Amino acid sequence: VVPHGVLHYVPFAALTDGNRYLNEDYVISSLPSANTLKYLPKPDSSVSNAMLALGNPTTSAFLSPLRYAQSEVEGIANLFDSQMLVGSAATESEIWSDSGKANILHIAAHGEYNPINPLFSTLHLAPDSEHDGRLEVHEIYDLNLTATDLVVLSACQTNVGELSRGDEIVGLNRAFFYAGAPAVMASLWNIDDAATGLLMREFYDHFKNGMSAAESLQQAQQTVKEEYPHPYFWAAFSVTGIN
């Protein structure tokens, strides 16, 4: 799907004829507009499944803990035998220092869309002596993710942004493209912590076994649907880019 205008905000997986959902019959992925495609590198398999996973950061904002996000990251990191950072260790500084070394970047945190100035939409991470913990869109442009194959934003409203003249979204999702990631998985609305934890575990089970990101998401959505039938719980996420 190459969405245009308001179609950027349609959860295509949840479209239905009244009997079946679209993602029951099709693997769905999206591409950004042509003026963004030229910035997308091809996935690089030279570093196989190296992951940086951050979850449930201890933030300076008045935000509730993400209990399931912590167990989500623990399970994913164990699956890939990779680095796991939770609580006060899930700092913004880790993104700046280590994200370019992994080909999968997974962030399970609070996401916040800023409708007044989308360049200040935020992923809330843990602060430290070097950074305030607010990873904002205008900062993400300066990351170097040219070695990264996939960014997964397990957070609220990470696929929401302001529609630009070039039919592109100014927000968290697209910022990671410009930083060098060829594919991003992100959400359209405020997600459920427990259901998302299950979806992510199922997603990575399939992804590690060789499925593409879009195929893995389709399979994970089918599993989550069995326990949480309403599309609110499983249809927020989509994969955009080359995967």
Side-chain angles (χ1 to χ4, degrees):
V1 177
V2 184
H4 170 70
V6 296
L7 295 180
H8 284 284
Y9 304 113
V10 173
F12 285 93
L15 295 182
T16 179
D17 61 1
N19 296 308
R20 295 177 65 81
Y21 290 105
L22 189 64
N23 76 333
E24 293 181 71
D25 298 311
Y26 298 96
V27 177
I28 304 168
S29 63
S30 297
L31 285 175
S33 64
N35 65 348
T36 302
L37 278 175
K38 63 183 179 182
Y39 295 104
L40 300 188
K42 292 182 179 180
D44 179 10
S45 58
S46 60
V47 181
S48 179
N49 290 335
M51 171 183 278
L52 175 62
L54 296 88
N56 193 23
T58 303
T59 72
S60 56
F62 294 101
L63 298 169
S64 59
L66 297 169
R67 179 165 60 94
Y68 290 97
Q70 180 152 337
S71 60
E72 168 189 324
V73 167
E74 290 171 351
I76 292 167
N78 289 335
L79 182 65
F80 285 87
D81 192 24
S82 296
Q83 185 179 10
M84 172 193 69
L85 299 165
V86 297
S88 59
T91 64
E92 181 185 351
S93 293
E94 290 291 344
I95 296 291
W96 289 103
S97 62
D98 292 339
S99 60
K101 303 173 186 176
N103 69 338
I104 304 171
L105 172 60
H106 182 94
I107 302 176
H110 281 287
E112 181 184 6
Y113 171 58
N114 186 327
I116 298 173
N117 191 340
L119 289 174
F120 287 85
S121 296
T122 305
L123 288 169
H124 290 276
L125 301 171
D128 60 14
S129 59
E130 297 181 25
H131 295 94
D132 62 5
R134 294 176 57 89
L135 184 61
E136 297 171 339
V137 167
H138 66 95
E139 296 175 307
I140 295 169
Y141 290 134
D142 292 327
L143 288 172
N144 182 0
L145 299 179
T146 53
T148 303
D149 292 341
L150 175 66
V151 173
V152 176
L153 303 177
S154 181
C156 297
Q157 301 183 355
T158 48
N159 202 13
V160 178
E162 181 181 29
L163 195 62
S164 70
R165 289 184 182 179
D167 197 31
E168 239 351 287
I169 294 292
V170 179
L172 288 161
N173 184 325
R174 296 306 194 266
F176 282 97
F177 288 141
Y178 286 102
V184 180
M185 191 164 99
S187 67
L188 280 173
W189 55 75
N190 291 336
I191 55 178
D192 179 80
D193 192 19
T196 300
L198 173 60
L199 184 142
M200 291 299 170
R201 289 191 297 273
E202 292 292 327
F203 169 82
Y204 281 112
D205 273 338
H206 294 293
F207 189 70
K208 192 173 190 297
N209 288 325
M211 286 189 178
S212 70
E215 291 170 328
S216 300
L217 178 59
Q218 180 201 35
Q219 294 301 312
Q221 288 172 329
Q222 303 307 318
T223 300
V224 174
K225 194 187 304 175
E226 295 174 4
E227 187 170 345
Y228 301 93
H230 195 282
Y232 161 75
F233 294 100
W234 51 263
F237 285 94
S238 61
V239 175
T240 305
I242 302 169
N243 69 95

Coordinates of all heavy atoms in Angstrom, one line a residue, residues 27-121:
V27 N -0.8 -10.3 3.0 CA 0.3 -9.7 3.8 C 0.4 -8.3 3.4 O 0.5 -7.9 2.2 CB 1.6 -10.4 3.5 CG1 2.8 -9.7 4.2 CG2 1.6 -11.9 3.9
I28 N 0.3 -7.4 4.4 CA 0.1 -5.9 4.1 C 1.4 -5.2 4.6 O 1.8 -5.3 5.7 CB -1.1 -5.3 4.8 CG1 -2.3 -6.1 4.4 CG2 -1.2 -3.8 4.5 CD1 -3.5 -5.8 5.2
S29 N 2.0 -4.4 3.7 CA 3.1 -3.5 4.1 C 2.9 -2.2 3.3 O 2.1 -2.2 2.3 CB 4.4 -4.1 3.8 OG 4.6 -4.3 2.4
S30 N 3.5 -1.2 3.8 CA 3.3 0.2 3.2 C 4.7 0.7 2.7 O 5.7 0.3 3.2 CB 2.8 1.1 4.2 OG 1.5 0.7 4.6
L31 N 4.6 1.6 1.7 CA 5.7 2.3 1.2 C 5.5 3.8 1.4 O 4.3 4.2 1.2 CB 6.1 2.0 -0.2 CG 6.7 0.7 -0.6 CD1 6.8 0.5 -2.1 CD2 8.1 0.5 0.1
P32 N 6.5 4.6 1.8 CA 6.3 6.0 1.8 C 6.3 6.6 0.4 O 6.4 5.8 -0.6 CB 7.5 6.5 2.6 CG 8.6 5.4 2.3 CD 7.8 4.1 2.2
S33 N 6.1 7.9 0.3 CA 6.0 8.5 -1.0 C 7.4 8.4 -1.8 O 8.4 8.1 -1.2 CB 5.6 9.9 -0.9 OG 6.6 10.7 -0.2
A34 N 7.3 8.6 -3.1 CA 8.5 8.4 -3.9 C 9.7 9.3 -3.5 O 10.9 8.9 -3.6 CB 8.2 8.7 -5.4
N35 N 9.4 10.5 -3.0 CA 10.5 11.4 -2.6 C 11.2 10.9 -1.3 O 12.3 11.4 -1.0 CB 10.0 12.8 -2.4 CG 9.0 13.0 -1.2 OD1 8.5 12.0 -0.7 ND2 8.7 14.2 -0.9
T36 N 10.6 9.9 -0.6 CA 11.3 9.3 0.5 C 12.0 8.0 0.2 O 13.0 7.7 0.7 CB 10.3 9.1 1.7 OG1 9.7 10.3 2.0 CG2 11.0 8.5 2.9
L37 N 11.5 7.3 -0.8 CA 12.0 6.0 -1.2 C 13.5 6.1 -1.5 O 14.3 5.2 -1.3 CB 11.3 5.5 -2.4 CG 10.0 4.8 -2.1 CD1 9.3 4.4 -3.4 CD2 10.2 3.5 -1.3
K38 N 13.9 7.2 -2.1 CA 15.3 7.3 -2.5 C 16.3 7.3 -1.3 O 17.5 7.1 -1.5 CB 15.6 8.6 -3.4 CG 15.3 9.9 -2.6 CD 15.5 11.1 -3.6 CE 15.2 12.4 -2.9 NZ 15.3 13.6 -3.8
Y39 N 15.8 7.6 -0.1 CA 16.6 7.6 1.0 C 16.7 6.3 1.7 O 17.5 6.1 2.6 CB 16.1 8.7 2.1 CG 16.1 10.1 1.6 CD1 15.0 10.8 1.2 CD2 17.3 10.8 1.6 CE1 15.1 12.1 0.7 CE2 17.4 12.1 1.1 CZ 16.3 12.7 0.7 OH 16.3 14.0 0.3
L40 N 15.8 5.3 1.3 CA 15.8 4.0 2.0 C 16.9 3.1 1.4 O 16.8 2.7 0.3 CB 14.4 3.4 1.8 CG 13.2 4.2 2.3 CD1 12.0 3.3 2.2 CD2 13.4 4.7 3.7
P41 N 17.8 2.7 2.3 CA 18.8 1.7 1.8 C 18.2 0.3 1.8 O 17.1 0.1 2.5 CB 19.9 1.8 2.9 CG 19.1 2.2 4.2 CD 18.0 3.1 3.7
K42 N 18.8 -0.6 1.1 CA 18.4 -2.0 1.2 C 18.8 -2.6 2.5 O 19.8 -2.3 3.0 CB 19.0 -2.8 0.0 CG 18.4 -2.4 -1.4 CD 19.0 -3.2 -2.5 CE 18.4 -2.8 -3.8 NZ 19.0 -3.6 -4.9
P43 N 18.0 -3.5 3.0 CA 18.4 -4.2 4.3 C 19.8 -4.8 4.1 O 20.1 -5.4 3.1 CB 17.3 -5.2 4.5 CG 16.1 -4.7 3.8 CD 16.7 -4.0 2.6
D44 N 20.6 -4.7 5.2 CA 21.9 -5.3 5.2 C 22.0 -6.4 6.1 O 21.8 -6.3 7.3 CB 22.9 -4.2 5.6 CG 24.4 -4.7 5.7 OD1 24.6 -5.8 5.2 OD2 25.2 -3.9 6.2
S45 N 22.3 -7.6 5.6 CA 22.3 -8.8 6.4 C 23.7 -9.2 6.9 O 24.0 -10.3 7.4 CB 21.7 -10.0 5.6 OG 22.5 -10.2 4.4
S46 N 24.6 -8.2 6.8 CA 26.0 -8.5 7.2 C 26.1 -8.8 8.7 O 27.0 -9.5 9.2 CB 27.0 -7.4 6.8 OG 26.5 -6.2 7.4
V47 N 25.2 -8.1 9.5 CA 25.2 -8.4 11.0 C 23.8 -9.1 11.2 O 22.8 -8.5 11.1 CB 25.2 -7.1 11.8 CG1 25.2 -7.4 13.3 CG2 26.5 -6.3 11.4
S48 N 23.9 -10.4 11.5 CA 22.7 -11.2 11.6 C 22.0 -11.1 12.9 O 22.5 -11.6 13.9 CB 23.0 -12.7 11.3 OG 21.9 -13.5 11.3
N49 N 20.8 -10.5 12.9 CA 19.9 -10.4 14.1 C 20.5 -9.8 15.3 O 20.1 -10.1 16.4 CB 19.4 -11.8 14.4 CG 18.4 -12.3 13.4 OD1 17.8 -11.6 12.7 ND2 18.3 -13.6 13.2
A50 N 21.6 -9.0 15.2 CA 22.1 -8.2 16.4 C 21.0 -7.2 16.8 O 20.5 -6.5 15.9 CB 23.4 -7.5 16.0
M51 N 20.6 -7.2 18.0 CA 19.5 -6.4 18.5 C 19.9 -5.5 19.6 O 20.7 -5.9 20.5 CB 18.3 -7.2 18.9 CG 17.2 -6.5 19.6 SD 15.9 -7.6 20.1 CE 15.0 -7.8 18.6
L52 N 19.3 -4.3 19.7 CA 19.4 -3.4 20.8 C 17.9 -3.2 21.2 O 17.1 -2.7 20.5 CB 20.0 -2.0 20.5 CG 20.0 -1.0 21.6 CD1 20.8 -1.5 22.8 CD2 20.5 0.3 21.1
A53 N 17.6 -3.6 22.4 CA 16.2 -3.6 22.9 C 16.1 -2.8 24.2 O 16.8 -3.1 25.2 CB 15.6 -5.0 23.2
L54 N 15.3 -1.7 24.2 CA 15.0 -0.9 25.3 C 13.6 -1.0 25.7 O 12.7 -0.9 24.9 CB 15.4 0.6 25.1 CG 16.9 0.9 24.7 CD1 17.1 0.8 23.2 CD2 17.2 2.3 25.2
G55 N 13.3 -1.1 27.0 CA 11.9 -1.2 27.5 C 11.6 -0.6 28.8 O 12.5 -0.6 29.7
N56 N 10.4 -0.1 29.0 CA 9.9 0.4 30.3 C 10.9 1.4 30.9 O 11.3 1.2 32.1 CB 9.6 -0.7 31.2 CG 8.8 -0.3 32.5 OD1 8.1 0.8 32.4 ND2 8.9 -1.0 33.5
P57 N 11.3 2.4 30.2 CA 12.3 3.3 30.7 C 11.8 4.1 32.0 O 10.6 4.4 32.1 CB 12.6 4.3 29.6 CG 12.0 3.7 28.4 CD 10.9 2.8 28.8
T58 N 12.7 4.4 32.9 CA 12.4 5.2 34.0 C 12.5 6.6 33.6 O 13.6 7.2 33.4 CB 13.4 4.9 35.2 OG1 13.3 3.5 35.5 CG2 13.0 5.8 36.4
T59 N 11.4 7.3 33.3 CA 11.4 8.6 32.7 C 11.3 9.7 33.7 O 10.9 9.5 34.9 CB 10.2 8.8 31.7 OG1 9.0 8.9 32.4 CG2 10.2 7.6 30.8
S60 N 11.6 10.9 33.3 CA 11.5 12.1 34.2 C 10.1 12.7 34.1 O 9.7 13.6 34.9 CB 12.5 13.2 33.8 OG 12.4 13.5 32.4
A61 N 9.3 12.2 33.2 CA 7.9 12.7 33.0 C 7.0 11.9 33.9 O 7.3 10.9 34.5 CB 7.5 12.5 31.6
F62 N 5.8 12.5 34.1 CA 4.8 11.8 35.0 C 4.0 10.8 34.2 O 2.9 11.0 33.8 CB 3.8 12.8 35.6 CG 4.5 13.8 36.6 CD1 4.8 15.0 36.2 CD2 4.8 13.3 37.8 CE1 5.5 15.9 37.0 CE2 5.4 14.2 38.7 CZ 5.8 15.5 38.3
L63 N 4.7 9.6 33.9 CA 4.1 8.6 33.0 C 4.1 7.3 33.8 O 5.0 7.0 34.6 CB 5.0 8.4 31.8 CG 5.1 9.6 30.9 CD1 6.2 9.4 29.8 CD2 3.8 9.9 30.2
S64 N 3.0 6.5 33.6 CA 2.9 5.3 34.3 C 3.9 4.2 33.8 O 4.3 4.2 32.6 CB 1.4 4.7 34.1 OG 1.2 4.5 32.7
P65 N 4.3 3.3 34.7 CA 5.2 2.3 34.3 C 4.6 1.3 33.2 O 3.3 1.2 33.2 CB 5.5 1.5 35.6 CG 5.1 2.4 36.7 CD 4.0 3.3 36.1
L66 N 5.4 0.8 32.3 CA 4.9 -0.1 31.3 C 5.3 -1.5 31.7 O 6.3 -2.1 31.3 CB 5.4 0.3 29.9 CG 5.0 1.6 29.4 CD1 5.8 2.0 28.2 CD2 3.5 1.7 29.1
R67 N 4.5 -2.1 32.6 CA 4.9 -3.4 33.2 C 5.1 -4.5 32.1 O 6.1 -5.3 32.1 CB 3.8 -3.9 34.1 CG 4.1 -5.2 34.8 CD 3.2 -5.4 36.0 NE 1.7 -5.3 35.7 CZ 1.0 -6.4 35.4 NH1 1.6 -7.6 35.4 NH2 -0.3 -6.3 35.1
Y68 N 4.2 -4.6 31.1 CA 4.3 -5.6 30.1 C 5.4 -5.3 29.1 O 6.0 -6.2 28.5 CB 3.0 -5.8 29.4 CG 1.9 -6.4 30.2 CD1 1.0 -5.6 30.9 CD2 1.8 -7.8 30.4 CE1 0.0 -6.2 31.7 CE2 0.9 -8.4 31.1 CZ -0.1 -7.6 31.8 OH -1.0 -8.1 32.6
A69 N 5.8 -4.0 29.0 CA 6.9 -3.6 28.1 C 8.2 -4.2 28.6 O 9.1 -4.6 27.8 CB 7.0 -2.1 28.0
Q70 N 8.4 -4.3 29.9 CA 9.6 -4.8 30.4 C 9.7 -6.3 30.1 O 10.7 -6.8 29.7 CB 9.7 -4.6 31.9 CG 11.0 -5.1 32.6 CD 11.4 -4.4 33.8 OE1 11.0 -3.2 34.0 NE2 12.2 -5.0 34.6
S71 N 8.6 -7.1 30.4 CA 8.7 -8.5 30.1 C 8.7 -8.7 28.6 O 9.4 -9.7 28.1 CB 7.4 -9.2 30.7 OG 6.2 -8.6 30.1
E72 N 8.2 -7.8 27.8 CA 8.3 -7.9 26.3 C 9.7 -7.9 25.9 O 10.2 -8.7 25.1 CB 7.5 -6.7 25.7 CG 7.7 -6.5 24.3 CD 7.1 -5.2 23.8 OE1 6.0 -4.8 24.3 OE2 7.6 -4.5 22.9
V73 N 10.4 -6.9 26.4 CA 11.8 -6.7 26.0 C 12.7 -7.8 26.5 O 13.6 -8.3 25.9 CB 12.4 -5.3 26.5 CG1 13.9 -5.2 26.4 CG2 11.7 -4.2 25.7
E74 N 12.4 -8.3 27.7 CA 13.2 -9.4 28.3 C 13.1 -10.7 27.4 O 14.0 -11.3 27.1 CB 12.7 -9.7 29.7 CG 13.1 -8.6 30.7 CD 12.5 -8.8 32.1 OE1 11.6 -9.7 32.2 OE2 12.9 -8.1 33.0
G75 N 11.8 -11.0 27.0 CA 11.6 -12.1 26.2 C 12.3 -12.0 24.8 O 12.9 -13.0 24.3
I76 N 12.2 -10.8 24.2 CA 12.7 -10.6 22.9 C 14.3 -10.7 22.9 O 14.9 -11.3 22.1 CB 12.3 -9.2 22.3 CG1 10.8 -9.2 22.0 CG2 13.1 -8.9 21.1 CD1 10.2 -7.9 21.8
A77 N 14.9 -10.1 23.9 CA 16.3 -10.1 24.1 C 16.8 -11.5 24.3 O 17.9 -11.9 23.7 CB 16.8 -9.2 25.2
N78 N 16.1 -12.3 25.1 CA 16.5 -13.7 25.2 C 16.4 -14.5 24.0 O 17.2 -15.4 23.7 CB 15.6 -14.4 26.3 CG 15.9 -13.8 27.7 OD1 17.0 -13.4 28.0 ND2 14.9 -13.9 28.6
L79 N 15.4 -14.2 23.2 CA 15.2 -14.9 21.9 C 16.4 -14.7 21.0 O 16.8 -15.6 20.3 CB 13.9 -14.4 21.2 CG 13.5 -15.1 19.9 CD1 13.2 -16.6 20.1 CD2 12.3 -14.4 19.3
F80 N 16.9 -13.5 21.0 CA 18.0 -13.1 20.1 C 19.3 -13.1 20.8 O 20.4 -12.8 20.1 CB 17.7 -11.7 19.5 CG 16.7 -11.7 18.4 CD1 15.4 -11.5 18.7 CD2 17.0 -11.9 17.1 CE1 14.4 -11.5 17.7 CE2 16.1 -11.8 16.1 CZ 14.7 -11.7 16.4
D81 N 19.3 -13.5 22.1 CA 20.6 -13.5 22.8 C 21.3 -12.2 22.7 O 22.5 -12.1 22.4 CB 21.5 -14.7 22.4 CG 22.7 -14.9 23.3 OD1 22.5 -14.5 24.5 OD2 23.7 -15.4 22.9
S82 N 20.5 -11.1 22.9 CA 21.0 -9.7 22.6 C 20.9 -8.9 23.9 O 20.4 -9.2 24.9 CB 20.3 -9.1 21.5 OG 20.5 -9.8 20.3
Q83 N 21.5 -7.7 23.7 CA 21.5 -6.7 24.8 C 20.1 -6.2 25.2 O 19.3 -5.9 24.3 CB 22.4 -5.5 24.4 CG 22.6 -4.5 25.5 CD 23.5 -3.3 25.0 OE1 23.8 -3.2 23.8 NE2 23.9 -2.5 25.9
M84 N 19.8 -6.2 26.5 CA 18.5 -5.7 27.0 C 18.7 -4.6 28.0 O 19.5 -4.7 28.9 CB 17.8 -6.9 27.7 CG 16.5 -6.5 28.4 SD 15.9 -7.8 29.4 CE 17.2 -7.8 30.7
L85 N 18.0 -3.5 27.8 CA 18.1 -2.3 28.7 C 16.7 -1.9 29.1 O 15.8 -1.6 28.3 CB 18.8 -1.2 27.9 CG 20.2 -1.4 27.4 CD1 20.6 -0.4 26.4 CD2 21.2 -1.5 28.6
V86 N 16.5 -2.0 30.5 CA 15.2 -1.6 31.0 C 15.4 -0.7 32.2 O 16.5 -0.5 32.7 CB 14.4 -2.9 31.5 CG1 14.1 -3.8 30.3 CG2 15.2 -3.6 32.6
G87 N 14.3 0.0 32.6 CA 14.3 0.9 33.7 C 15.3 2.1 33.5 O 15.3 2.7 32.4
S88 N 16.1 2.3 34.5 CA 17.0 3.4 34.4 C 18.1 3.2 33.4 O 18.9 4.1 33.0 CB 17.6 3.7 35.8 OG 18.3 2.6 36.3
A89 N 18.3 2.0 33.0 CA 19.4 1.6 32.0 C 18.9 1.9 30.5 O 19.7 2.0 29.6 CB 19.8 0.2 32.1
A90 N 17.6 2.1 30.3 CA 17.1 2.3 29.0 C 17.1 3.8 28.7 O 16.1 4.5 28.5 CB 15.6 1.8 28.9
T91 N 18.4 4.3 28.5 CA 18.6 5.8 28.4 C 18.6 6.2 26.9 O 18.9 5.4 26.0 CB 19.9 6.2 29.1 OG1 21.0 5.5 28.3 CG2 20.0 5.8 30.5
E92 N 18.4 7.5 26.8 CA 18.5 8.1 25.5 C 20.0 8.0 25.0 O 20.2 7.8 23.8 CB 18.1 9.6 25.5 CG 18.2 10.3 24.1 CD 17.8 11.7 24.2 OE1 17.4 12.2 25.3 OE2 18.1 12.4 23.2
S93 N 20.9 8.1 25.9 CA 22.3 8.0 25.5 C 22.7 6.7 24.9 O 23.5 6.6 24.0 CB 23.2 8.2 26.8 OG 23.1 9.5 27.3
E94 N 22.0 5.6 25.3 CA 22.2 4.3 24.7 C 21.8 4.3 23.2 O 22.4 3.6 22.4 CB 21.4 3.2 25.4 CG 22.0 2.9 26.8 CD 23.3 2.2 26.8 OE1 23.7 1.7 25.7 OE2 24.0 2.2 27.9
I95 N 20.7 5.0 22.9 CA 20.3 5.1 21.5 C 21.4 5.8 20.7 O 21.8 5.4 19.6 CB 19.0 5.9 21.3 CG1 17.9 5.2 22.0 CG2 18.7 6.2 19.9 CD1 17.4 3.9 21.3
W96 N 22.0 6.9 21.2 CA 23.0 7.6 20.5 C 24.3 6.8 20.4 O 25.0 6.9 19.3 CB 23.3 9.0 21.2 CG 22.2 9.9 21.0 CD1 21.2 10.2 22.0 CD2 21.8 10.7 19.9 NE1 20.3 11.1 21.5 CE2 20.7 11.4 20.2 CE3 22.4 10.8 18.6 CZ2 20.1 12.3 19.3 CZ3 21.8 11.6 17.7 CH2 20.6 12.4 18.0
S97 N 24.7 6.0 21.3 CA 25.9 5.3 21.3 C 25.9 4.0 20.7 O 26.9 3.5 20.1 CB 26.5 5.2 22.8 OG 25.6 4.4 23.6
D98 N 24.8 3.3 20.8 CA 24.7 1.8 20.4 C 23.8 1.5 19.3 O 23.8 0.4 18.8 CB 24.4 1.0 21.6 CG 25.5 1.0 22.7 OD1 26.7 1.3 22.3 OD2 25.3 0.6 23.8
S99 N 22.8 2.4 19.0 CA 21.8 2.0 18.0 C 22.4 1.7 16.6 O 21.9 0.8 15.9 CB 20.7 3.1 17.9 OG 21.3 4.3 17.4
G100 N 23.5 2.3 16.3 CA 24.1 2.1 15.0 C 24.9 0.8 14.9 O 25.3 0.4 13.8
K101 N 25.0 0.1 16.0 CA 25.7 -1.2 16.0 C 24.8 -2.4 15.8 O 25.3 -3.5 15.7 CB 26.5 -1.3 17.3 CG 27.5 -0.2 17.6 CD 28.1 -0.3 19.0 CE 28.9 0.9 19.3 NZ 29.4 0.8 20.7
A102 N 23.5 -2.2 15.9 CA 22.6 -3.3 15.8 C 21.8 -3.2 14.5 O 21.5 -2.2 14.1 CB 21.7 -3.3 17.0
N103 N 21.4 -4.4 14.0 CA 20.5 -4.3 12.8 C 19.0 -4.4 13.1 O 18.2 -4.2 12.2 CB 20.9 -5.4 11.7 CG 20.6 -6.8 12.1 OD1 20.4 -7.1 13.3 ND2 20.4 -7.7 11.2
I104 N 18.7 -4.6 14.4 CA 17.3 -4.4 14.9 C 17.3 -3.5 16.1 O 18.0 -3.8 17.1 CB 16.7 -5.8 15.3 CG1 16.8 -6.8 14.1 CG2 15.2 -5.6 15.7 CD1 16.4 -8.2 14.5
L105 N 16.5 -2.4 16.0 CA 16.4 -1.5 17.1 C 14.9 -1.6 17.6 O 14.0 -1.4 16.9 CB 16.7 -0.1 16.7 CG 16.4 1.0 17.8 CD1 17.2 0.8 19.0 CD2 16.7 2.4 17.2
H106 N 14.7 -2.0 18.9 CA 13.4 -2.2 19.4 C 13.3 -1.3 20.6 O 14.1 -1.3 21.6 CB 13.2 -3.7 19.9 CG 11.8 -3.9 20.4 ND1 10.8 -4.4 19.7 CD2 11.3 -3.8 21.7 CE1 9.7 -4.5 20.4 NE2 10.0 -4.1 21.6
I107 N 12.2 -0.4 20.6 CA 12.0 0.5 21.7 C 10.6 0.3 22.2 O 9.6 0.6 21.4 CB 12.2 2.0 21.2 CG1 13.6 2.2 20.7 CG2 11.9 2.9 22.4 CD1 13.9 3.6 20.1
A108 N 10.4 -0.1 23.4 CA 9.1 -0.3 24.1 C 9.0 0.8 25.2 O 9.6 0.6 26.3 CB 9.0 -1.7 24.7
A109 N 8.4 1.9 24.8 CA 8.3 3.0 25.7 C 7.1 3.8 25.5 O 6.2 3.5 24.6 CB 9.6 3.9 25.5
H110 N 6.9 4.9 26.2 CA 5.8 5.8 26.0 C 6.2 6.7 24.7 O 7.3 7.2 24.6 CB 5.6 6.7 27.2 CG 4.8 6.1 28.3 ND1 3.5 5.9 28.2 CD2 5.2 5.7 29.5 CE1 3.1 5.3 29.3 NE2 4.1 5.2 30.1
G111 N 5.2 6.8 23.8 CA 5.4 7.6 22.7 C 4.3 8.8 22.8 O 3.2 8.6 23.3
E112 N 4.7 10.0 22.3 CA 3.8 11.1 22.5 C 3.9 11.9 21.2 O 4.9 12.5 20.8 CB 4.2 12.0 23.7 CG 3.4 13.2 23.9 CD 3.9 14.0 25.0 OE1 5.0 13.8 25.6 OE2 3.2 15.0 25.4
Y113 N 2.7 12.1 20.5 CA 2.6 12.9 19.3 C 2.4 14.3 19.7 O 1.5 14.6 20.5 CB 1.5 12.4 18.4 CG 1.2 13.3 17.2 CD1 2.2 13.6 16.3 CD2 -0.1 13.8 17.1 CE1 1.9 14.5 15.3 CE2 -0.4 14.6 16.0 CZ 0.7 15.0 15.1 OH 0.4 15.8 14.1
N114 N 3.1 15.3 19.1 CA 2.9 16.7 19.4 C 2.2 17.3 18.2 O 2.8 17.5 17.2 CB 4.3 17.4 19.6 CG 4.1 18.8 20.0 OD1 3.2 19.5 19.6 ND2 5.1 19.3 20.8
P115 N 0.9 17.5 18.3 CA 0.1 18.0 17.1 C 0.4 19.5 16.8 O 0.2 19.9 15.7 CB -1.4 17.9 17.6 CG -1.3 17.9 19.1 CD 0.0 17.3 19.5
I116 N 1.0 20.2 17.7 CA 1.3 21.6 17.5 C 2.6 21.7 16.7 O 2.7 22.5 15.7 CB 1.4 22.4 18.8 CG1 0.1 22.4 19.5 CG2 1.9 23.8 18.6 CD1 0.1 23.0 20.9
N117 N 3.6 20.9 17.1 CA 4.9 20.9 16.3 C 5.3 19.4 16.3 O 6.0 19.0 17.2 CB 5.9 21.8 17.0 CG 7.1 21.9 16.1 OD1 7.4 21.1 15.2 ND2 7.9 23.0 16.4
P118 N 5.0 18.7 15.2 CA 5.4 17.3 15.1 C 6.9 17.0 15.2 O 7.2 15.9 15.6 CB 4.8 16.9 13.7 CG 3.7 17.8 13.5 CD 4.2 19.1 14.1
L119 N 7.7 18.0 15.0 CA 9.1 17.8 15.1 C 9.5 17.5 16.6 O 10.7 17.1 16.8 CB 9.9 19.0 14.6 CG 9.9 19.1 13.0 CD1 10.6 20.4 12.6 CD2 10.6 17.9 12.4
F120 N 8.6 17.8 17.5 CA 8.9 17.6 18.9 C 8.1 16.4 19.5 O 8.0 16.2 20.7 CB 8.6 18.9 19.7 CG 9.6 19.9 19.5 CD1 9.6 20.8 18.4 CD2 10.7 20.0 20.4 CE1 10.5 21.8 18.2 CE2 11.7 21.0 20.2 CZ 11.6 21.9 19.1
S121 N 7.5 15.6 18.6 CA 6.9 14.3 19.0 C 8.1 13.5 19.6 O 9.2 13.6 19.2 CB 6.3 13.6 17.8 OG 5.2 14.3 17.3

